[in-house]
Amino acid sequence: MAGERILVVDDEPSISEVVALYLRREGFEVEIAADGDVALEMISRRRPDLLVLDLMLPGVDGLAITRQVRSGASLPIIMLTARGEEIDRVLGLELGADDYVTKPFSPRELVARVKAVLRRSQPPADALRDPATAPIVAGALRIDPAARSVALDGVALSLTAREFDLLTFMARRPGHVFTREQLLDQVWGYTFASDMSTVTVHIRRLREKIEDDPTTPRRLLTVWGVGYKFEAGYSTERNS
C-alpha cells in the first residue's frame, strides 16, 4: 500500500505538517494545499490516491471540493471536521466523503483510517481466485467484488469505496438485520469517535443509487428500532 499519493488540504500548517509527517513515516507520498483553489488545481494536475480534506477552508471550502470531486471521480475522501460542525459533517457524507475525523484527533488514528479507506478501495491482488469475490446478483442489481463494480439493469453505478463495502457486506447476508453499531464495526472497522449518522447517510446515498424509488426502498430496508437489512431475492453466480 505504501507509495500512494495523499493530498492533505488544511489551512492550519500545524495540522497539515504533522499529518504529512505521520503519513510519510508510513511510506506515503504526501502533498499539502492550504486552500481550496490550490487543492483543486493539484487534484486536476496530479490526481492523488486519497484526499485528507478540512471542511473549513479559505476560498473554495471542503464541501465545494467534495461536490466537485464527486461529480466526476471516485477519489477517496477523509474529512477533517471540528466538533461543532455536525451539520457540515453529515452534508459532507451526503456528498460522498468516505470517512471523517473530528478535531482534535490522533495522527495515528488518521493514518489508520487512511490505510483502511485505501485498502477497501482497491481489490486484492488474488481477488479472482477468492471464492468470496463471486458476483452477487439480486434481481437487476449485480455486484462484482473482484472488480469492485456495481451495475443496475446493466448500467454501471458510481459508488464510493465505503458505499461499495457497505452494499457488498449486506448483500452477502440477505435478510440479516444489522444495527448501525454492527455496520460501523464490520464495514468501517471501528466504532470509536464515530456517530451513527455515518451509517444513516451511507444507507441513504446507496438507496438513491440502487432503488427505483429511494423513498420506498425494496432492497435496503429499515427495520424500525433495530437497523437495516438487504432484502432477499438474491443469488450468487458460480464461476465457470
Side-chain angles (χ1 to χ4, degrees):
M1 179 180 297
E4 285 95 337
R5 295 190 304 275
I6 311 295
L7 176 59
V8 178
V9 188
D10 197 303
D11 63 332
E12 298 182 59
S14 59
I15 292 177
S16 58
E17 290 171 6
V18 169
V19 169
L21 174 65
Y22 275 78
L23 288 170
R24 286 171 180 147
R25 283 178 177 174
E26 296 297 321
F28 294 105
E29 182 180 334
V30 183
E31 293 184 301
I32 295 174
D35 64 70
D37 295 294
V38 171
L40 287 172
E41 191 276 331
M42 293 175 71
I43 293 170
S44 174
R45 172 171 51 84
R46 188 167 182 243
R47 180 180 168 181
D49 295 297
L50 183 141
L51 191 61
V52 176
L53 177 64
D54 187 22
L55 281 184
M56 303 300 292
L57 294 168
V60 180
D61 65 16
L63 293 177
I65 292 174
T66 302
R67 187 180 292 108
Q68 289 193 45
V69 168
R70 278 291 168 263
S71 66
S74 57
L75 172 64
I77 299 173
I78 296 179
M79 298 183 303
L80 303 180
T81 74
R83 292 192 182 279
E85 295 173 349
E86 181 177 356
I87 294 177
D88 285 342
R89 181 167 65 243
V90 171
L91 181 54
L93 293 170
E94 288 275 13
L95 291 173
D98 295 272
D99 203 353
Y100 72 87
V101 176
T102 302
K103 296 179 179 180
F105 57 85
S106 161
R108 290 187 178 88
E109 176 190 340
L110 177 58
V111 170
R113 298 201 184 195
V114 166
K115 290 181 176 180
V117 170
L118 285 172
R119 183 168 57 248
R120 291 179 179 275
S121 67
Q122 301 170 354
D126 60 351
L128 295 178
R129 299 191 299 272
D130 186 354
T133 62
I136 301 166
V137 180
L141 185 68
R142 187 178 191 276
I143 305 167
D144 187 342
R148 292 190 65 86
S149 64
V150 179
L152 182 63
D153 288 320
V155 178
L157 304 179
S158 177
L159 271 62
T160 67
R162 196 70 73 181
E163 290 167 356
F164 179 88
D165 291 331
L166 177 59
L167 176 61
T168 303
F169 176 81
M170 297 183 70
R172 283 193 176 124
R173 301 158 182 83
H176 188 105
V177 180
F178 295 96
T179 66
R180 289 183 292 178
E181 291 87 349
Q182 289 172 326
L183 291 172
L184 271 176
D185 179 61
Q186 295 297 314
V187 179
W188 277 257
Y190 51 76
T191 55
F192 59 87
S194 298
D195 60 53
M196 298 301 106
S197 65
T198 301
V199 175
T200 305
V201 169
H202 279 76
I203 290 287
R204 185 183 308 138
R205 283 181 53 82
L206 275 174
R207 284 173 173 164
E208 291 171 354
K209 297 178 180 181
I210 71 171
E211 300 284 1
D212 298 326
D213 180 1
T215 63
T216 310
R218 295 182 179 275
R219 295 184 175 94
L220 283 179
L221 304 183
T222 299
V223 180
W224 296 107
V226 184
Y228 305 99
K229 69 176 180 178
F230 186 88
E231 190 51 270
Y234 163 102
S235 65
T236 301
E237 294 183 353
R238 300 295 181 185
N239 291 328
S240 56

